[in-house]
Amino acid sequence: MTSPQNSSASSRFPKGRRAFPHRDLIGISSLERHEILFLLAEAERYVGFNRQAAKRSDELAGLTIINAFFENSTRTLLSFEIAGKRLGADVVNMYAAQSSVKKGETLIDTAVTLNAMKADAIVIRHGSSGAVGLIASKVDCPVLNAGDGQHEHPTQALLDALALRHKLRERGSDTEDFTGLTVTICGDILHSRVARSNILSLQALGASVRLCAPPALMPAGIERMGAETFHDFDTALQGADVVMMLRLQNERMDGQYIPSPREYRHLYGLTPERLALAKPDAIVMHPGPMNRGVEIESAVVDMDDRAIITSQVEMGVAIRMACLDVLTRRSRGVPGWSDGEWV
Ligand code: CP
């Protein structure tokens, strides 16, 4: 079995600049462009590793990672669990629905409890924006945000960037970033932490971002993040290089935001005919879970040369391995760290 190769990514950092100074990964908003590129480069090591039949290393042997999920998840929870196990860590999952949260325990008391168990990293998904940052302030180990309310989902944006870059390279590009690309993100922008993290990440990597949603699902003032906003999907698609579709987050809606699913599909559903308005080879992305026949048609999902939705899932494991590795290096005393400097 081949081990993940040693990274040369540290050479990407300008001399004397701090390599990865963050203890936690709460949001893309706290990352600089070179730090995003660093995490992508680290994740590249694991892509080939994960494609081997035997894929187990001992990089995190002896470490305990707790995945504390206060909201449902398939992709994020399983990929963090797989990532930790492939790196040799002991991984424990806490599902809030089966925990003492149901008996009235507060978020802070839960955080203090997890901390007392001496976890080496805690991965948290929570329904409230800011909850993960709050927990990070109460514990001693690295905290990774697996999605908090409508705030951020940083590892999703990182895996999206990795999957997109892989597709571009498969097509012959040697690009490191997304300079010159136009990415249209369409769907329930109002409730989407994926949209927020992607706006920040894609722009940091040079892309222009267009947002498209019905008026009720477009957050007021979102243009201040530097994205162009549209309500007409056909216009937002014109000449786009990448189309990222988002589902309607009905679980976060307390009223009627759209006239009907049927009308939403008519106005905002991605069909092959509508995709033809984008660039001829435009790439289609979706973070999942998908609602086929609502925001995206199966005929689009099944376009193997265009849709990279399965690749996004694959890259999620590599990104989460990289994030767990990088954030635990300090506690593992990995050579290369010295007072937060890469030497
Ligand atoms: N994209 C994403 O976060 O999916 P899950 O909710 O299944 O984790």
Side-chain angles (χ1 to χ4, degrees):
M1 182 188 65
T2 307
S3 292
Q5 287 162 2
N6 284 337
S7 171
S8 60
S10 55
S11 63
R12 292 170 186 275
F13 282 82
K15 207 169 168 51
R17 202 159 173 186
R18 297 178 79 198
F20 199 81
H22 311 284
R23 189 198 72 166
D24 308 304
L25 179 59
I26 305 300
I28 299 293
S29 61
S30 61
L31 300 183
E32 293 188 40
R33 171 190 155 89
H34 72 277
E35 292 166 345
I36 295 172
L37 289 172
F38 171 69
L39 289 172
L40 297 183
E42 291 295 295
E44 293 284 5
R45 295 194 296 142
Y46 296 112
V47 175
F49 177 76
N50 285 337
R51 290 177 178 169
Q52 301 175 137
K55 32 194 171 289
R56 182 78 180 230
S57 88
D58 61 359
E59 286 180 75
L60 303 194
L63 268 55
T64 302
I65 296 169
I66 298 179
N67 295 323
F69 276 59
F70 296 79
E71 277 191 335
N72 293 344
S73 170
T74 298
R75 281 148 285 271
T76 313
L77 175 60
L78 288 182
S79 60
F80 264 116
E81 182 174 359
I82 291 169
K85 287 179 172 171
R86 285 193 183 158
L87 292 170
D90 297 311
V91 182
V92 181
N93 294 334
M94 191 202 91
Y95 309 98
Q98 297 163 18
S99 74
S100 289
V101 170
K102 285 284 167 199
K103 301 175 192 165
E105 189 163 62
T106 66
L107 182 61
I108 290 176
D109 284 337
T110 303
V112 169
T113 300
L114 299 181
N115 196 48
M117 293 179 190
K118 307 297 180 202
D120 297 289
I122 302 177
V123 179
I124 302 168
R125 167 167 290 190
H126 199 282
S128 299
S129 306
V132 179
L134 178 65
I135 290 179
S137 71
K138 304 288 176 194
V139 303
D140 301 321
C141 66
V143 169
L144 295 90
N145 183 0
D148 64 330
Q150 296 162 218
H151 173 224
E152 280 230 39
H153 193 350
T155 57
Q156 178 70 45
L158 292 169
L159 74 86
D160 288 339
L162 190 64
L164 178 55
R165 201 168 68 175
H166 266 247
K167 186 65 179 175
L168 296 171
R169 288 181 176 173
E170 187 187 295
R171 290 179 172 180
S173 167
D174 62 356
T175 187
E176 185 176 57
D177 67 14
F178 305 137
T179 301
L181 292 190
T182 297
V183 181
T184 296
I185 304 176
C186 180
D188 181 356
I189 308 290
L190 180 67
H191 299 107
S192 180
R193 53 200 179 205
V194 173
R196 273 169 196 75
S197 290
N198 262 300
I199 293 167
L200 295 165
S201 164
L202 290 165
Q203 291 184 154
L205 297 179
S208 300
V209 178
R210 296 175 183 168
L211 303 175
C212 180
L217 294 176
M218 186 72 84
I222 191 86
E223 312 78 34
R224 288 198 290 274
M225 290 186 78
E228 206 179 345
T229 58
F230 298 82
H231 299 307
D232 182 73
F233 193 20
D234 292 357
T235 307
L237 283 169
Q238 301 283 340
D241 299 280
V242 180
V243 184
M244 184 183 293
M245 299 305 297
L246 304 174
R247 74 182 172 93
L248 292 169
Q249 298 197 29
N250 293 309
E251 72 274 22
R252 299 191 206 282
M253 296 185 193
D254 54 6
Q256 191 153 358
Y257 286 76
I258 56 166
S260 70
R262 189 185 155 114
E263 182 160 345
Y264 182 84
R265 176 188 179 183
H266 177 64
L267 294 174
Y268 296 100
L270 187 62
T271 60
E273 297 73 32
R274 201 165 244 151
L275 181 59
L277 298 170
K279 290 250 179 83
D281 58 352
I283 293 166
V284 176
M285 306 179 72
H286 194 305
M290 289 183 283
N291 290 133
R292 291 176 187 244
V294 182
E295 77 273 9
I296 192 164
E297 294 297 311
S298 287
V300 175
V301 176
D302 296 339
M303 289 178 171
D304 290 341
D305 55 332
R306 310 280 293 276
I308 61 168
I309 298 161
T310 309
S311 170
Q312 288 173 261
V313 177
E314 179 188 358
M315 298 303 154
V317 179
I319 280 291
R320 283 152 186 149
M321 290 171 83
C323 291
L324 290 172
D325 168 23
V326 168
L327 292 179
T328 58
R329 282 181 187 173
R330 204 182 300 248
S331 64
R332 288 183 290 135
V334 170
W337 276 109
S338 172
D339 295 331
E341 297 284 330
W342 206 276
V343 291

